[in-house]
Amino acid sequence: NAGVTQTPKFRILKIGQSMTLQCTQDMNHNYMYWYRQDPGMGLKLIYYSVGAGITDKGEVPNGYNVSRSTTEDFPLRLELAAPSQTSVYFCASSYRTGMNTEAFFGQGTRLTVV
Amino acid sequence: QQPVQSPQAVILREGEDAVINCSSSKALYSVHWYRQKHGEAPVFLMILLKGGEQKGHEKISASFNEKKQQSSLYLTASQLSYSGTYFCGTRGGSQGNLIFGKGTKLSVKP
């Protein structure tokens, strides 16, 4: 099983550019999440989704957008990249009632904005 | 509200024990524990769903005190492989989103 797959693994963006971080899971999980992790810091929730067509803001949503058109995919869009968005981004998914089941994480996307 | 973890960092010798605490100012319905090794993704350890519940995973176990709104992770007879950053996760809102504490960095030395 592939689990949670994120692409790309690394990316360098210039200030003001836009990009989409891709996340797909093959476990038929309803819940999906996007986190960012800054050096030495914990995981901050950006956006999450409880099912196709439903998304909601997390702790740090500013500067990001998401969509969930299918169960499998949960892309994260960065518009007008800023140096403050330099971080490692993790996508995760869990089955049905998210709090009662483990979350599976992708391998992360390391993004640098210069 | 982000859960609060303590301590921020722990250095152990192989074979020593450690306790990592996780507390919340809001009611806790369940607590997740994950471990992240350097440069890797977080990996699930266990979930505690009920107050008073205790679970074990090899020599790593955890307890959940619902009334005190806290959970503790116990690492006994630590091994080099236990090194990493440990995160606790709790519910952040009504839809079951999952938010994490800042983590506790555990270093086990030979």
Side-chain angles (χ1 to χ4, degrees):
Chain A
N1 288 336
V4 180
T5 302
Q6 291 183 234
T7 56
K9 287 187 171 53
F10 304 92
R11 183 72 186 267
I12 299 175
L13 275 185
K14 292 185 178 179
I15 295 171
Q17 287 185 322
S18 300
M19 77 164 292
T20 299
L21 280 67
Q22 301 292 345
C23 175
T24 187
Q25 51 91 8
D26 62 358
M27 297 173 283
N28 201 32
H29 285 173
N30 284 334
Y31 281 70
M32 295 189 75
Y33 313 84
W34 273 106
Y35 296 91
R36 60 174 288 171
Q37 185 174 37
D38 300 324
M41 302 295 288
L43 297 151
K44 287 289 193 180
L45 182 64
I46 305 171
Y47 272 94
Y48 68 102
S49 169
V50 301
I54 306 170
T55 62
D56 207 347
K57 296 177 180 178
E59 301 169 280
V60 289
N62 291 344
Y64 307 95
N65 278 301
V66 293
S67 60
R68 184 94 183 270
S69 56
T70 67
T71 299
E72 294 79 19
D73 300 308
F74 190 40
L76 178 71
R77 178 82 177 163
L78 278 73
E79 305 282 2
L80 299 175
S84 61
Q85 292 179 306
T86 294
S87 191
V88 179
Y89 292 83
F90 287 101
C91 177
S93 72
S94 63
Y95 182 66
R96 205 170 289 171
T97 51
M99 278 310 299
N100 294 345
T101 56
E102 67 180 280
F104 293 83
F105 283 81
Q107 287 305 301
T109 295
R110 186 175 297 274
L111 175 67
T112 303
V113 182
V114 296
Chain B
Q1 191 90 16
Q2 185 179 35
V4 177
Q5 289 185 234
S6 63
Q8 290 184 334
V10 184
I11 299 175
L12 298 175
R13 294 284 182 191
E14 268 188 298
E16 291 182 338
D17 302 339
V19 179
I20 299 171
N21 298 304
C22 174
S23 63
S24 175
S25 59
K26 296 175 68 175
L28 284 178
Y29 300 99
S30 60
V31 179
H32 290 223
W33 285 99
Y34 292 77
R35 176 171 63 203
Q36 183 181 32
K37 292 189 178 287
H38 183 69
E40 299 181 4
V43 174
F44 172 78
L45 291 176
M46 64 190 81
I47 295 176
L48 296 102
L49 296 176
K50 301 177 187 177
E53 184 175 19
Q54 296 190 5
K55 277 192 175 179
H57 175 78
E58 297 177 343
K59 292 182 181 177
I60 301 174
S61 61
S63 64
F64 180 21
N65 188 323
E66 195 174 12
K67 288 184 179 178
K68 291 186 178 180
Q69 296 172 188
Q70 68 182 33
S71 176
S72 296
L73 186 72
Y74 305 94
L75 299 102
T76 58
S78 59
Q79 305 169 13
L80 295 176
S81 62
Y82 287 179
S83 292
T85 301
Y86 290 78
F87 294 98
C88 68
T90 62
R91 183 197 294 191
S94 60
Q95 287 285 347
N97 61 0
L98 180 58
I99 61 173
F100 290 92
K102 291 185 177 180
T104 296
K105 185 174 182 179
L106 180 74
S107 301
V108 181
K109 309 290 185 184

